Amino acid sequence: CRNVHLMSDTQEAWCDSLYFNRNTSDIRMYGNVQLTDTTRNVYGLAGRLDYVDSIATVTLTRDPAVITVTEENGQKDSVYFGADTLIHYTRKMFEIDSLTVAEAALRKSNLDIDPVSEFRRKAAEEAAKKAAEAAENDPNLKAQMEAKKRAEEKAAADSLAALAAAAPAEDSLAVTDSLAAGLDSLAATDSLDAGPDSIGVTDSLAVSPDTTDIGFVIALRNVKIYRKNMQVVCDSLLYCDLDSLARLFKEPVIWNEVTQQYNADSISVVVRNNAMEKASLMSNAFIHIEEDTTHYNQIKGAEMMAYFSEEGELSRFDALGGASALFYIEENDALATVNKKDSKMLSAIFRDGELNRIYYFDTAVSDAFPVVQMTEEDRKLKGFNWQPDRRPADRHAVTSLDLRPSERTSYNARPRARYVETDLYFPGYIDDIYLQIALRDSLNHVRSVERQREEEMAELRRQQVEDSLAIAKLDSLEAVKADSLARQDSLKAVSDSLAVADSIAKADSIAALQDNPVVLTKEQMREQKKAERERKKKERIAARDARWAAKDEADARKEQSKLDRKAEKAREKKRRALRQAQERARQDAEMLQRYIERYERKMSRKEARLEGA
């Protein structure tokens, strides 16, 4: 067939020719192929599409590309992803090999580790340990700690005595009972963790396999990704939903805001909501930051971790396993000094796309040189490989195919065929088919609503169980803390509260303690989280708008400064031309004067000869 258009409730497809195998349900589409999925705002373009139904695999070839459209704060952004061959397939969770699942879990756990934070935590623990050892060896400090501990114990005892005197008898009994039940509640919590036999549902769950759909994407040769503020190229790419990692192989390069380039032997990227959240650069990692066409800030290391903001901007990166850095220092609007540093590990913080601060771990070796004294080789670290020619400049570098507009409205507006001749020989047959189609659509809608409701109820039950367990554990832990008055943390907390409050505040706190604690419902907790997310979102938007306003103001100042310099250059040019004209006039006047003097001498000699004759 020719000029094919297909349409379902959520999808549309176009092509020049289509071949369908009724026995296998396989499909082949040729020429200007486009798939549109309105539920996810995803578009597929290719010169050829092959779909194998038995293994749920879609293969795109002949200049293929996948376009994902995202919308945030009323602004749309598109991601263009192309390669020589794009393959997408899905598998049920129970169909995936256990080794593949284990490898994905290992990759995910490795990327979840924050080496810098872990290093800082260990350093803080070691410092605290040394401080404690020093305190033990210091007799004066040891005596102060013992006196403080005795004061805290006395304050806690006084506070509990005042609370017992102020509370009614039945309340005190209830408090006593709750304290006595602390260990029992802990035992009950342990019984919840006793194993699958204690709740008796594991066997039923083990019988039914996990039918969650897991998606896989394979891109082969000449992989290109274009987004307004980020571009990627590599030879091949693998992605799966198990770990949400996109793994880039063979000369991968990532550009951020055009002036920042990251490359390594292989790169793994954590993808969230169609955006990069974190990237791991493995082996020969190198970051280039362009200052101008001849000067680049550079950082290299055996491994690097890059972190990105929600807007796709680089916010932080860590260089691990021996880091080298080269930075240009600007003085009086000119790059004057080069700073070279070597350390075991470094962490750099970015603000608004600009390098803001760098932290070095262990002793850093630092050297500074004037830029004018450095050769071209000295200005580059080993492994420097700035590649602007490989960067996709726009969407047309990914695919030359254009998106077709939706035709759903026009097709839905068309009246259904009446099949008049068929109705003559088979009265009511077509009407019955249309009725069955309407019933099928309504049943599908009802089933969809029921599935959504079941998922919401399951999520609600799961959340309620988690909340109840959390509250039980919290209550039991609080009871144990109250029962054990010798614990330092609880004594310190009581001491701090007594030190802050005055006599009136003490009475208020006792009255507050008599009230029952309010446990928020799941809906209230959800509303609180939603309000908190909205507040943070508004803060991010306001911060972003402020940054953009500052950037606009800086650009305006820069543009005005540029215009001022240009006007000053024009004035200087005019002054130079005027001085040159004055100099030429002076030279012409001197030449004329010399000519007059020579003429007068010549005429004098001529008159003298005439008189002599």
Side-chain angles (χ1 to χ4, degrees):
C1 51
R2 300 289 179 180
N3 299 323
V4 181
H5 177 262
L6 301 92
M7 186 173 67
S8 67
D9 292 338
T10 59
Q11 296 176 334
E12 277 187 274
W14 294 263
C15 65
D16 294 340
S17 303
L18 180 143
Y19 298 90
F20 174 70
N21 189 321
R22 180 179 297 178
N23 296 327
T24 61
S25 296
D26 295 344
I27 299 174
R28 282 182 295 164
M29 304 171 69
Y30 295 94
N32 296 318
V33 179
Q34 175 177 326
L35 295 178
T36 300
D37 188 344
T38 57
T39 59
R40 294 178 293 177
N41 287 334
V42 176
Y43 306 85
L45 303 175
R48 174 176 175 174
L49 179 146
D50 293 275
Y51 171 71
V52 181
D53 184 69
S54 60
I55 54 177
T57 300
V58 178
T59 304
L60 301 175
T61 53
R62 300 180 185 176
D63 195 19
V66 174
I67 305 172
T68 304
V69 179
T70 59
E71 184 172 356
E72 185 176 357
N73 301 326
Q75 295 183 350
K76 290 186 177 181
D77 191 12
S78 301
V79 179
Y80 296 84
F81 171 37
D84 288 352
T85 302
L86 293 176
I87 303 172
H88 177 269
Y89 63 93
T90 57
R91 296 289 184 271
K92 301 296 183 182
M93 187 65 184
F94 71 90
E95 297 175 342
I96 302 175
D97 183 72
S98 58
L99 180 59
T100 302
V101 176
E103 291 175 347
L106 179 60
R107 289 193 298 267
K108 185 176 181 180
S109 62
N110 289 338
L111 275 182
D112 287 340
I113 298 174
D114 189 339
V116 171
S117 300
E118 188 68 16
F119 181 87
R120 288 176 173 173
R121 184 186 63 79
K122 291 182 179 180
E125 290 178 353
E126 292 178 359
K129 184 178 180 181
K130 291 180 181 179
E133 293 176 354
E136 290 180 357
N137 297 329
D138 189 346
N140 296 327
L141 186 59
K142 186 175 182 180
Q144 293 177 3
M145 294 296 292
E146 291 178 352
K148 182 179 179 181
K149 183 177 180 181
R150 287 195 297 269
E152 290 175 350
E153 291 176 352
K154 185 177 182 300
D158 294 341
S159 175
L160 291 174
L163 179 62
E170 51 269 3
D171 289 344
S172 61
L173 289 176
V175 171
T176 305
D177 293 339
S178 63
L179 294 177
L183 295 177
D184 294 338
S185 62
L186 280 180
T189 305
D190 293 338
S191 67
L192 292 175
D193 298 331
D197 293 339
S198 61
I199 55 178
V201 297
T202 304
D203 294 338
S204 61
L205 292 177
V207 173
S208 59
D210 190 348
T211 58
T212 305
D213 288 330
I214 305 298
F216 295 82
V217 176
I218 302 174
L220 302 176
R221 295 177 295 280
N222 298 322
V223 177
K224 296 180 181 180
I225 301 175
Y226 174 82
R227 193 177 184 178
K228 181 173 60 177
N229 59 352
M230 185 171 296
Q231 299 82 41
V232 180
V233 297
C234 63
D235 178 75
S236 56
L237 179 147
L238 298 178
Y239 171 85
C240 90
D241 290 335
L242 290 171
D243 50 19
S244 298
L245 290 182
R247 291 177 285 160
L248 287 61
F249 302 100
K250 196 173 181 181
E251 299 181 354
V253 183
I254 299 176
W255 290 269
N256 184 243
E257 299 295 346
V258 180
T259 60
Q260 301 168 12
Q261 174 187 304
Y262 326 119
N263 54 270
D265 291 346
S266 66
I267 299 177
S268 296
V269 178
V270 179
V271 180
R272 293 281 189 275
N273 299 323
N274 298 317
M276 293 195 346
E277 180 182 274
K278 184 192 302 184
S280 172
L281 288 71
M282 298 295 297
S283 182
N284 298 321
F286 207 110
I287 293 182
H288 313 70
I289 304 174
E290 184 183 32
E291 291 288 341
D292 54 42
T293 55
T294 57
H295 301 90
Y296 302 86
N297 294 329
Q298 304 155 48
I299 300 176
K300 61 175 292 188
E303 179 184 356
M304 289 188 188
M305 295 293 296
Y307 302 84
F308 300 89
S309 66
E310 293 183 356
E311 292 79 16
E313 294 182 350
L314 179 66
S315 59
R316 165 191 156 197
F317 70 80
D318 306 328
L320 316 171
S324 300
L326 184 149
F327 298 104
Y328 288 88
I329 301 175
E330 185 176 327
E331 297 177 6
N332 298 326
D333 297 331
L335 300 177
T337 308
V338 174
N339 193 359
K340 284 189 173 182
K341 288 184 176 288
D342 294 289
S343 65
K344 179 180 179 181
M345 184 167 58
L346 68 83
S347 180
I349 306 299
F350 281 74
R351 293 289 184 271
D352 300 329
E354 300 293 335
L355 189 61
N356 180 263
R357 183 174 296 180
I358 301 179
Y359 300 94
Y360 298 93
F361 299 89
D362 289 352
T363 304
V365 179
S366 178
D367 294 309
F369 308 93
V371 173
V372 294
Q373 296 182 3
M374 299 190 70
T375 63
E376 185 68 22
E377 294 182 355
D378 294 335
R379 297 177 184 178
K380 298 177 181 178
L381 297 177
K382 185 178 179 181
F384 179 89
N385 189 18
W386 178 253
Q387 307 174 62
D389 295 337
R390 293 185 64 193
R391 186 181 71 86
D394 52 33
R395 63 167 297 275
H396 298 289
V398 179
T399 179
S400 59
L401 300 176
D402 294 323
L403 286 176
R404 303 191 195 193
S406 175
E407 300 179 41
R408 182 179 300 276
T409 303
S410 61
Y411 276 99
N412 288 337
R414 295 182 181 182
R416 284 180 170 177
R418 296 300 304 165
Y419 299 99
V420 178
E421 297 296 329
T422 304
D423 196 50
L424 291 176
Y425 297 98
F426 303 96
Y429 177 74
I430 297 300
D431 293 337
D432 184 61
I433 290 179
Y434 283 154
L435 178 60
Q436 292 179 17
I437 292 174
L439 290 174
R440 182 200 63 188
D441 294 341
S442 62
L443 287 174
N444 289 337
H445 177 71
V446 170
R447 292 193 185 100
S448 176
V449 172
E450 289 178 350
R451 282 195 299 269
Q452 183 177 1
R453 188 176 300 169
E454 289 176 358
E455 292 175 357
E456 292 177 354
M457 293 300 296
E459 176 66 20
L460 179 61
R461 286 193 296 270
R462 185 187 64 80
Q463 190 64 36
Q464 288 175 346
V465 171
E466 291 181 357
D467 294 343
S468 62
L469 289 175
I471 292 172
K473 289 182 179 180
L474 181 61
D475 292 342
S476 60
L477 289 175
E478 291 297 331
V480 171
K481 285 183 179 180
D483 189 51
S484 179
L485 297 177
R487 288 194 177 186
Q488 183 176 358
D489 293 339
S490 60
L491 292 175
K492 184 177 180 181
V494 174
S495 177
D496 292 340
S497 63
L498 291 174
V500 174
D502 53 11
S503 59
I504 297 176
K506 285 182 180 179
D508 293 339
S509 63
I510 292 173
L513 286 172
Q514 292 175 356
D515 296 333
N516 292 327
V518 177
V519 179
L520 297 179
T521 64
K522 184 177 184 298
E523 186 64 28
Q524 292 173 333
M525 295 173 65
R526 185 181 299 166
E527 291 296 330
Q528 282 188 353
K529 291 180 180 179
K530 183 178 179 180
E532 182 68 16
R533 286 197 299 270
E534 291 294 332
R535 183 185 64 79
K536 291 183 179 179
K537 184 177 180 180
K538 290 180 180 178
E539 290 178 353
R540 289 196 301 270
I541 294 173
R544 185 192 63 188
D545 293 341
R547 291 198 303 270
W548 280 112
K551 287 184 178 180
D552 292 339
E553 185 178 353
D555 292 341
R557 289 197 301 268
K558 187 183 294 184
E559 186 65 23
Q560 185 61 39
S561 177
K562 184 178 179 181
L563 293 175
D564 293 342
R565 289 196 300 270
K566 187 175 180 180
E568 181 62 28
K569 288 182 179 178
R571 289 193 292 270
E572 180 62 28
K573 186 177 180 180
K574 290 181 179 179
R575 288 194 292 268
R576 188 165 56 250
L578 181 59
R579 289 194 295 270
Q580 291 174 355
Q582 292 175 348
E583 180 66 21
R584 285 196 299 270
R586 185 186 63 79
Q587 293 176 357
D588 292 342
E590 291 179 354
M591 185 179 297
L592 178 60
Q593 184 63 32
R594 288 195 299 270
Y595 177 77
I596 293 172
E597 291 176 355
R598 286 197 304 271
Y599 179 76
E600 289 178 348
R601 287 195 298 271
K602 182 178 178 180
M603 293 303 295
S604 297
R605 288 195 298 270
K606 185 176 181 181
E607 290 176 357
R609 284 197 301 272
L610 291 174
E611 290 176 358

